[in-house]
Amino acid sequence: MENNKKTTVVVTGFGPFGEHTVNASWVAVQEFEKLGLGDDIELRTKQVPVEYQQVQKIVPALWKQHNPQFMIHVGVSGMAQTVTLEKCGHNKGYSGLDNCSFCPGTHCCVDGGPECIDSVIDMDAVCKRVRASGLGVDVSVSKDAGRYLCDFIYYTSLYLSHGRSAFIHVPPLGEPYTAAELGRALQAIIREIIDLLEHSEEKITCQHQH
């Protein structure tokens, strides 16, 4: 019997912090939301404050409320010159203060959790496919999301979802990409992620049937 239930995808961006009074990550998510992912995908977006305790409340609530196929988190990096796909999240090293001048007492995301959690999404394959698409936005891959809120939200989500999460760093607006270009980049990347996950699940289903 055909399953007509839509696939749900949740995408978050961050609110303002420090010099980023307009956070390019949330602007990019809003631009991407205008473009969407087609009628077959239920897209949900959420702005997350740059606060550790809010991340710890909001991310589990999003997973519980929407039960998405996967969740994508987007953040801004002042050092980034490309749109960067992060391969993993880290559990320790969170000593940087958030918007409430707070950091976790243990400097950990999840006490007793693994040091590092990899995404089940093959970021190298996603990067290669997006680059080959002629998007006009440079895309790269990284293994270090920075040990601040970006890394923190990624690890939290990876831990809760057994790796069914992704993190995308975008440069500040105009350095060099416009909001519209970043929105198109997010759309292209997330479409490739959906395609890759669908094919990997088809393989698993096929193997189970033989």
Side-chain angles (χ1 to χ4, degrees):
M1 189 171 72
E2 189 178 342
N3 182 4
N4 291 320
K5 188 180 177 184
K6 285 186 176 184
T7 295
T8 301
V9 175
V10 174
V11 183
T12 73
F14 279 110
F17 75 102
E19 64 186 15
H20 301 282
T21 51
V22 175
N23 195 315
S25 70
W26 180 239
V27 174
V29 170
Q30 289 176 302
E31 288 294 320
F32 157 64
E33 189 174 21
K34 293 176 193 173
L35 300 170
L37 291 166
D39 294 335
D40 296 334
I41 307 292
E42 189 78 35
L43 176 61
R44 302 288 183 182
T45 62
K46 177 77 174 176
Q47 186 186 67
V48 180
V50 180
E51 299 171 27
Y52 293 105
Q53 290 171 311
Q54 285 298 312
V55 166
Q56 289 178 321
K57 289 177 186 174
I58 290 169
V59 174
L62 289 172
W63 278 105
K64 187 175 180 181
Q65 181 182 353
H66 300 297
N67 190 27
Q69 184 191 19
F70 61 91
M71 199 176 294
I72 308 280
H73 305 287
V74 186
V76 66
S77 169
M79 296 180 292
Q81 294 180 315
T82 66
V83 174
T84 309
L85 311 181
E86 300 292 347
K87 299 177 80 165
C88 55
H90 302 87
N91 193 25
K92 297 178 181 177
Y94 296 99
S95 56
L97 300 180
D98 66 12
N99 278 356
C100 293
S101 299
F102 174 87
C103 73
T106 60
H107 298 172
C108 279
C109 185
V110 178
D111 289 335
E115 179 67 30
C116 180
I117 303 176
D118 292 322
S119 175
V120 300
I121 299 159
D122 185 342
M123 296 302 184
D124 291 306
V126 173
C127 182
K128 187 176 179 181
R129 290 167 70 159
V130 173
R131 279 178 170 174
S133 70
L135 180 67
V137 173
D138 195 12
V139 181
S140 63
V141 175
S142 161
K143 290 183 179 179
D144 185 1
R147 302 306 203 288
Y148 190 49
L149 269 294
C150 291
D151 215 341
F152 192 84
I153 198 171
Y154 195 19
Y155 186 94
T156 301
S157 206
L158 288 165
Y159 184 83
L160 291 168
S161 65
H162 305 286
R164 295 182 70 84
S165 306
F167 192 94
I168 303 168
H169 262 128
V170 297
L173 292 173
E175 298 180 25
Y177 302 115
T178 65
E181 286 172 324
L182 292 177
R184 287 199 302 275
L186 291 184
Q187 183 190 45
I189 290 163
I190 294 169
R191 278 180 169 164
E192 293 296 352
I193 289 172
I194 292 169
D195 192 52
L196 277 173
L197 285 179
E198 282 177 352
H199 280 95
S200 65
E201 283 172 359
E202 280 170 15
K203 278 184 188 176
I204 291 165
T205 304
C206 217
Q207 286 166 357
H208 285 169
Q209 287 173 348
H210 291 292

